[in-house]
Amino acid sequence: MSDKHKINLIVQKELHEGVLGILASHYTNQNGYPTFVLTDCTIESGQKAWKGSGRGVEELNLYDILSQVQDETGTLYTFGGHAGAVGVTVLDENIEQFKSKITEIVEDRLAHSSYAKNYIQLTTIEQRKEIAEAVKELKPFGNGLRLPIVELSYNVKEINLYYKSKHAKFLHKEPDKSGTKTIWNNFELWNYGGLEEAKILCNRDFVLSFDNVQKLINNGKTESEAQQQKYEKYIRKTKESRVTYKVEVGYSDFCGMGPRFNVLEVTF
């Protein structure tokens, strides 16, 4: 996988075919990107190939995307499925072209998807409570009824980076009920797969206050392992550092600890 692209592509030998769909669903649920997991196989003719499963996100039709890949490159040996889940087989000689083309198409479609133009701006705790209650009345979602998208904008007090899972956790400055002053509370937002993006903000407006590298080494990890699995805590050094998110809202009231939204976009 690459943090630079909005698609998870896992191409790995000797995976059990029975777990390909499970793995694809796991990665899509983890960071909100469409996922393809492929493993090596041999087709009837004796040729080497890669066979796998794909799992999608609300704004993309994976079957349509694979159809476009086939129309433009002819690289697919077989494929099938529907909008949210597909199966695909690619000859070994075509795998690199497949990876390049499907990444190009997915990122182009996400860049032109409608979510960025259709969202609700929320600025207070009370507004978020109201939308959370409304979401409960609308469920279940899916099959054409997508989760609502809201825009949230906050001053960030603290950022935690988790290198093993490559996600960032933001602690925010929250307006009180009257809106006349600001207070610190425990409102958190988790940006899965957003570690590299968050590091840009950390380097600009924050200072490192803690990491657990030495503790990991003391517990038997090598220096390299500790760096790959470390946790870092950054504290804001400037007066304000505002971050704006577009996120999908689930069923839970997201005024408490650690709501885990599907973050569609982050700007700062």
Side-chain angles (χ1 to χ4, degrees), residues 75-195:
T75 54
L76 307 186
Y77 182 73
T78 62
F79 72 96
H82 52 82
V86 293
V88 62
T89 302
V90 184
L91 293 179
D92 184 62
E93 63 196 54
N94 295 327
I95 190 64
E96 293 303 321
Q97 188 179 5
F98 165 75
K99 289 161 61 177
S100 176
K101 176 55 69 172
I102 200 163
T103 299
E104 174 190 323
I105 293 172
V106 165
E107 296 199 327
D108 179 70
R109 293 198 180 195
L110 285 174
H112 295 90
S113 65
S114 61
Y115 81 80
K117 300 177 183 178
N118 299 283
Y119 58 87
I120 304 167
Q121 290 180 309
L122 303 180
T123 58
T124 68
I125 294 174
E126 294 306 310
Q127 287 177 335
R128 291 204 310 280
K129 288 181 178 179
E130 290 172 5
I131 194 69
E133 290 302 318
V135 167
K136 293 176 185 178
E137 297 299 320
L138 289 171
K139 66 181 182 181
F141 292 89
N143 296 322
L145 180 61
R146 65 170 300 161
L147 289 168
I149 298 169
V150 301
E151 181 181 85
L152 309 170
S153 185
Y154 299 101
N155 286 319
V156 179
K157 174 187 178 183
E158 176 185 308
I159 299 176
N160 299 315
L161 301 181
Y162 299 85
Y163 282 71
K164 185 175 181 179
S165 57
K166 300 187 183 302
H167 73 267
K169 181 177 73 174
F170 298 84
L171 181 64
H172 299 92
K173 196 171 187 178
E174 185 72 56
D176 70 352
K177 187 173 181 180
S178 68
T180 59
K181 62 180 181 178
T182 54
I183 57 173
W184 293 117
N185 72 4
N186 290 323
F187 176 65
E188 299 174 357
L189 192 146
W190 297 68
N191 185 8
Y192 286 91
L195 181 141

